[in-house]
Amino acid sequence: MDTCRTPANTSKCSGSTMECFMVLSTQAQKISIGILCGLFGTMCVFENSLVLYLIFSSPGTRKKPSYLFIGSLALADILASIIFVCSFVNFHVFNEAGFSKEVFLLQLGGVNTSFSASLSSLLLTALDRYISISRPSEYKLLMTRKRAWTALAVLWVTCATIACLPLLGWNCCVLDSACSELFPFVDDNYLSGWICFVVVLLGCIVYAYAHVLWRARQHVAYMEKHQAQTGKQNTRMRMDVMLAKTLVMVLAVLMLCWSPVLVLMIYSIFGRLSDRLRKVFAFCSTLCLLNSMVNPIIYALRSKELFSSLRRVFSHFRRQLKVSEGSPEAESTHKSSVIET
């Protein structure tokens, strides 16, 4: 029997089984994974850090619940990229398996917390738009900053609690149960539960976005019939339509990036994964980083307020460069004029 196939059927939890999950067999595969993780991770941290700066540097955006949820999404994506890249590259590229079960499960818990919080932040953003469009007259009363912060606190605590269950004892070593084929020490039942949690999140997001898109289309039809009318109401509806389209784009990218990973996870529970499929899973995992990298680009291109803030930042940066480049010349001119005098 192949010793590297036993974790799927037994509760083998010795440190030597860690090597069975290092599925990248060639140097080219390791280099490819390293490049993808390095590129996506670096861009993700930079872009989401910029989004956080743009949100919290402007009093107009940091007070709005919508942008608090987007800020939570950016923070989750930053943490996910840092923890995922460090642990994933260390394990699959450098084949480091000298750490203990607790350390590995702690790293896995950090990755799961961050990605779950990312999805949950998208859900809160979708619900925020849902309330804004379905009950516009009551939106400010229903969605206050205090409620937004409370929702974010519940979100992060819930995601961290669910992600840390393997570390707290729900793993195949403690329970002497079947281990997952994809993750060391992870119980198959826990993986099934986590997948159900993610699927429920995605289902709620799809439902909220579908309603938002339906109402947005109604608003578009309304505005086309009342083009002559101007005012605050039409301006608000235009903003809702723009943001609804933005969120639909985010959802489309989300589904494209997460579907391959979820499908392979589900298949691993009910069937047996070949070595080739496990390698495919390793590469598909980097798509989650791609999703985190694309989200801020969509915000910058589609959110008028964030795009305006970004333009102001670049304009200020250009002025600073011109001043710094012009200072030596001015100083040199001043010195030459003094010498001539």
Side-chain angles (χ1 to χ4, degrees):
M1 175 182 283
D2 186 358
T3 57
C4 283
R5 304 301 297 175
T6 55
N9 299 320
T10 68
S11 58
K12 300 292 184 182
C13 293
S14 63
S16 60
T17 60
M18 296 283 286
E19 299 176 358
C20 302
F21 295 88
M22 299 173 181
V23 296
L24 303 183
S25 55
T26 65
Q27 196 67 21
Q29 293 173 353
K30 294 179 181 181
I31 292 175
S32 300
I33 283 287
I35 292 175
L36 288 175
C37 288
L39 177 62
F40 293 164
T42 302
M43 293 299 296
C44 180
V45 171
F46 171 75
E47 293 168 1
N48 284 287
S49 298
L50 182 60
V51 169
L52 282 177
Y53 173 78
L54 295 177
I55 290 174
F56 290 99
S57 64
S58 172
T61 55
R62 67 169 176 259
K63 292 181 180 179
K64 295 182 178 180
S66 300
Y67 288 103
L68 291 179
F69 298 147
I70 292 176
S72 174
L73 173 63
L75 177 61
D77 286 338
I78 290 173
L79 295 177
S81 62
I82 293 174
I83 301 173
F84 176 83
V85 169
C86 292
S87 59
F88 195 79
V89 171
N90 191 45
F91 186 79
H92 284 289
V93 177
F94 298 108
N95 298 138
E96 292 290 337
F99 40 80
S100 64
K101 176 193 71 175
E102 289 74 17
V103 172
F104 177 84
L105 292 178
L106 180 62
Q107 293 177 351
L108 184 63
V111 173
N112 287 346
T113 299
S114 303
F115 281 127
S116 299
S118 177
L119 294 176
S120 301
S121 298
L122 277 176
L123 176 59
L124 288 182
T125 307
L127 293 177
D128 175 74
R129 288 300 91 201
Y130 179 91
I131 296 173
S132 174
I133 289 183
S134 62
R135 305 173 71 175
S137 60
E138 304 174 36
Y139 173 76
K140 290 186 178 181
L141 295 176
L142 294 174
M143 191 58 68
T144 62
R145 288 189 68 202
K146 183 178 179 180
R147 290 181 177 178
W149 282 112
T150 302
L152 289 175
V154 172
L155 176 159
W156 281 91
V157 170
T158 302
C159 292
T161 301
I162 294 175
C164 290
L165 287 177
L167 183 63
L168 298 175
W170 191 353
N171 58 73
C172 57
C173 299
V174 174
L175 300 177
D176 195 27
S177 57
C179 297
S180 168
E181 280 190 285
L182 295 174
F183 306 101
F185 313 120
V186 173
D187 179 70
D188 262 344
N189 292 326
Y190 170 78
L191 183 60
S192 301
W194 189 82
I195 291 173
C196 290
F197 173 64
V198 171
V199 170
V200 168
L201 285 178
L202 291 175
C204 293
I205 292 173
V206 170
Y207 174 80
Y209 282 141
H211 184 83
V212 167
L213 184 60
W214 174 64
R215 294 301 297 266
R217 292 188 58 157
Q218 286 186 327
H219 285 174
V220 169
Y222 175 85
M223 286 186 289
E224 288 177 351
K225 292 180 181 179
H226 301 81
Q227 296 245 343
Q229 296 181 3
T230 58
K232 186 176 181 180
Q233 184 70 10
N234 273 357
T235 301
R236 185 196 63 78
M237 285 191 294
R238 289 190 185 95
M239 292 177 63
D240 284 342
V241 170
M242 177 67 75
L243 193 48
K245 291 180 179 179
T246 299
L247 298 181
V248 169
M249 291 174 61
V250 172
L251 178 61
V253 173
L254 180 74
M255 296 301 294
L256 288 174
C257 292
W258 275 86
S259 294
V261 172
L262 290 176
V263 168
L264 288 173
M265 283 185 182
I266 295 172
Y267 182 78
S268 72
I269 295 173
F270 297 101
R272 187 81 171 232
L273 290 179
S274 64
D275 290 338
R276 176 174 295 182
L277 283 179
R278 296 205 295 165
K279 291 178 183 179
V280 171
F281 178 79
F283 279 92
C284 288
S285 299
T286 60
L287 291 177
C288 300
L289 274 181
L290 178 63
N291 173 65
S292 299
M293 185 187 75
V294 171
N295 282 342
I297 297 177
I298 298 176
Y299 299 143
L301 293 177
R302 303 289 298 179
S303 173
K304 186 177 180 180
E305 291 178 277
L306 288 184
F307 187 70
S308 298
S309 299
L310 183 62
R311 290 181 61 184
R312 287 196 298 270
V313 169
F314 280 131
S315 297
H316 178 73
F317 182 70
R318 282 202 303 267
R319 287 197 298 269
Q320 292 293 332
L321 283 179
K322 289 180 180 179
V323 170
S324 62
E325 290 175 356
S327 294
E329 296 178 3
E331 184 179 352
S332 176
T333 304
H334 176 71
K335 287 182 177 180
S336 61
S337 62
V338 171
I339 293 174
E340 289 176 1
T341 304

